[in-house]
Amino acid sequence: AYNPIDVDDIKSRAVVAEGVNCENYFCCVARLTPDKDIETVLRGFDLFWNNSGQKDVKMIFVGDGNMRSFYESIANSLSAKKQFIFVGALKNPFGIMRGAIANILSSYSEGLPTVLVESMVLGTVNISSKCKCGPCEILGNGKYGLLFEPGNFEQLAQCLYDVYNKKIDVDKMIKQSNKALKRFDADEIVEQIISLIS
């Protein structure tokens, strides 16, 4: 059984959460550590931004970690350097997640990446690496979100381009992902556990 997700709590916290002073942005909510592969997000966004005619769209990182200065130095070396915003760790990132064009996860490995489920609850489409555990299962092998090969920033750039330019039916994907949330409902999971014990 999955870990239960409190859908109502996430939605209520999103209402009171602080946002950011821009309307057109992608977000990445993750620890800034090697396993999260933030460099792929940086390079993927940079390629997307250049291929899109340098639109006024931002890439916001929510989180902190021992690689923050390293990732910021990479960001400052790229042509899209003015589009990157590192806001640090937030107790309530849901306001930023709710307002994003898409949420990005670029990990090399995961267990059950809760951030993908939280994004689904908030009605924000996910773009995720299809690393060994978690994302493919949560996102229905691409039915409930977009997937790219870990470390492949060119594929990520294409996903960003497709979502930004509405080359895919994002609304349909969000509706499908919303229906798939029942798997994480607390009552549903309790029933599964009771059945297993019986």
Side-chain angles (χ1 to χ4, degrees):
Y2 295 110
N3 292 329
I5 300 294
D6 192 334
V7 170
D8 292 335
D9 179 60
I10 291 170
K11 287 181 177 178
S12 64
R13 288 175 64 194
V15 172
V16 298
E18 59 184 299
V20 286
N21 191 26
C22 60
E23 295 180 359
N24 203 20
Y25 65 91
F26 293 95
C27 76
C28 174
V29 181
R31 295 186 313 277
L32 303 185
T33 54
D35 58 312
K36 297 301 182 182
D37 189 25
I38 302 303
E39 183 173 353
T40 290
V41 183
L42 291 165
R43 297 194 183 282
F45 180 87
D46 187 63
L47 181 58
F48 150 75
W49 185 73
N50 281 295
N51 289 344
S52 297
Q54 302 183 348
K55 302 287 187 186
D56 186 22
V57 56
K58 307 288 186 187
M59 180 67 238
I60 298 175
F61 294 93
V62 181
D64 218 333
N66 60 2
M67 297 284 284
R68 178 168 177 171
S69 60
F70 174 72
Y71 290 136
E72 286 179 332
S73 70
I74 293 174
N76 287 327
S77 74
L78 299 171
S79 54
K81 60 185 176 183
K82 292 184 179 178
Q83 309 308 114
F84 298 117
I85 301 172
F86 290 82
V87 299
L90 297 176
K91 286 185 178 179
N92 185 352
F94 298 139
I96 291 175
M97 291 172 69
R98 183 186 60 183
I101 299 165
N103 172 62
I104 302 165
L105 179 78
S106 58
S107 302
Y108 282 125
S109 63
E110 281 289 348
L112 180 76
T114 309
V115 69
L116 295 181
V117 184
E118 291 167 341
S119 184
M120 290 165 71
V121 169
L122 297 169
T124 301
V125 73
N126 283 299
I127 301 172
S128 177
S129 61
K130 44 182 170 182
C131 58
K132 192 171 183 180
C133 296
C136 288
E137 185 177 350
I138 291 172
L139 300 181
N141 289 314
K143 187 177 179 182
Y144 313 131
L146 284 76
L147 294 163
F148 64 94
E149 291 294 334
N152 193 322
F153 71 87
E154 292 98 341
Q155 283 185 6
L156 172 55
Q158 186 63 53
C159 291
L160 296 171
Y161 183 88
D162 289 347
V163 169
Y164 188 81
N165 291 291
K166 298 181 171 40
K167 299 292 183 182
I168 60 164
D169 192 339
V170 173
D171 291 336
K172 181 180 177 182
M173 191 170 275
I174 289 170
K175 284 177 184 175
Q176 289 175 326
S177 71
N178 192 49
K179 290 177 183 176
L181 283 171
K182 190 173 166 82
R183 295 173 291 167
F184 306 100
D185 180 76
D187 293 335
E188 183 93 3
I189 290 166
V190 167
E191 283 182 22
Q192 291 174 16
I193 293 171
I194 290 171
S195 175
L196 184 65
I197 293 169
S198 300

